[in-house]
Amino acid sequence: MKDSIYTIPISEVFEPMQGCPICRMRDMLEERSIEYIMGAAMMEPDVRVETNRTGFCEDHLRRMLPRKNRLSIGLMFQSHLDYLRKDIVSASAPARGKDPRAEKAREAAEGCYVCDRIQKSMDRMLDTTLRMWEKEESFRQLFAKQELLCFPHYQKLLQAAQGKLGKKIYPAFSEAIGTLALKQLNALKTDIDSFCNLFDYRSPSSGPVPEHLRTSIERTASYLCSRDFSEK
């Protein structure tokens, strides 16, 4: 498969070979989405329709609030509050039957424009990743050299591959992602076991706790949640 505007970003994500490559993909898309929504997108009518309808999740609001362009947030909040007041929140009971406000309220309370944008881009990039793995030996070698694959992204790749890869190629791919995920899982299990054993009264005291045991809780949380829990 020749390099294209679709494959080059995938190669760039996999080249560092540090941590989980799909986490790097997600982080890149997340940063681009936040920059986009905090920039000129605030003046695009179709974007404002979507941000009015879904709002933003707590996590992405926490990432957006420290940014310099607070006017973007203010303008989006302005129209979002108008939407809530006009279409959802009311002290009046519905005339009859099912209340249409309930579904709109759920959408606004549980939705997030940034999450939706990231998910759509992730789906496209994961599809490209699968095609590259299927067709390019060099990419399969690069994939195998990755440091690890976190559990949530192991699950995403496993699920995506079932619907995209043929029966002949799927077993090899599932083995490849399983190898990456299991390598980190086994290492973490060893460290967590050793960490917990430190608290066993039968364990002899041996001075300071080694770094790899001291950080085992945070590293396991990162593996299970695909987010960085390391101490900054």
Side-chain angles (χ1 to χ4, degrees), residues 169-219:
I169 196 73
Y170 174 79
F173 181 77
S174 65
E175 181 178 339
I177 62 175
T179 298
L180 285 179
L182 195 59
K183 179 172 63 173
Q184 182 70 354
L185 177 58
N186 287 338
L188 289 171
K189 180 60 167 62
T190 298
D191 287 349
I192 285 291
D193 284 347
S194 297
F195 174 81
C196 292
N197 287 337
L198 292 174
F199 297 87
D200 191 322
Y201 71 94
R202 293 167 295 186
S203 297
S205 177
S206 56
V209 177
E211 178 70 9
H212 69 286
L213 299 187
R214 188 182 68 80
T215 62
S216 61
I217 296 293
E218 288 77 16
R219 289 186 293 112

Side-chain angles (χ1 to χ4, degrees), residues 30-110:
E30 187 170 57
E31 179 60 26
R32 289 180 180 178
S33 295
I34 291 175
E35 287 181 355
Y36 171 73
I37 196 63
M38 295 286 289
M42 69 174 179
M43 299 307 295
E44 297 180 14
D46 58 333
V47 172
R48 291 291 279 278
V49 168
E50 288 301 305
T51 58
N52 288 345
R53 182 178 62 83
T54 64
F56 300 95
C57 68
E58 177 186 350
D59 183 52
H60 287 129
L61 278 177
R62 290 187 183 279
R63 293 166 190 265
M64 292 162 63
L65 291 177
R67 306 285 172 125
K68 292 181 179 180
N69 191 2
R70 291 173 65 84
L71 176 61
S72 292
I73 301 177
L75 291 172
M76 286 183 288
F77 277 177
Q78 185 179 50
S79 57
H80 183 56
L81 293 177
D82 283 341
Y83 169 75
L84 296 182
R85 188 169 59 172
K86 179 183 176 181
D87 288 25
I88 300 177
V89 181
S90 173
S92 301
R96 63 180 64 185
K98 187 177 181 180
D99 191 344
R101 295 172 302 183
E103 179 57 25
K104 288 183 178 181
R106 184 200 63 78
E107 208 171 34
E110 299 177 3

Side-chain angles (χ1 to χ4, degrees), residues 84-135:
L84 296 182
R85 188 169 59 172
K86 179 183 176 181
D87 288 25
I88 300 177
V89 181
S90 173
S92 301
R96 63 180 64 185
K98 187 177 181 180
D99 191 344
R101 295 172 302 183
E103 179 57 25
K104 288 183 178 181
R106 184 200 63 78
E107 208 171 34
E110 299 177 3
C112 175
Y113 177 83
V114 175
C115 286
D116 291 346
R117 184 178 172 85
I118 293 170
Q119 188 57 57
K120 290 175 183 176
S121 298
M122 279 283 286
D123 289 343
R124 290 193 294 269
M125 291 189 76
L126 290 179
D127 284 349
T128 303
T129 299
L130 293 176
R131 290 199 302 273
M132 290 175 68
W133 195 93
E134 183 176 16
K135 298 181 181 299

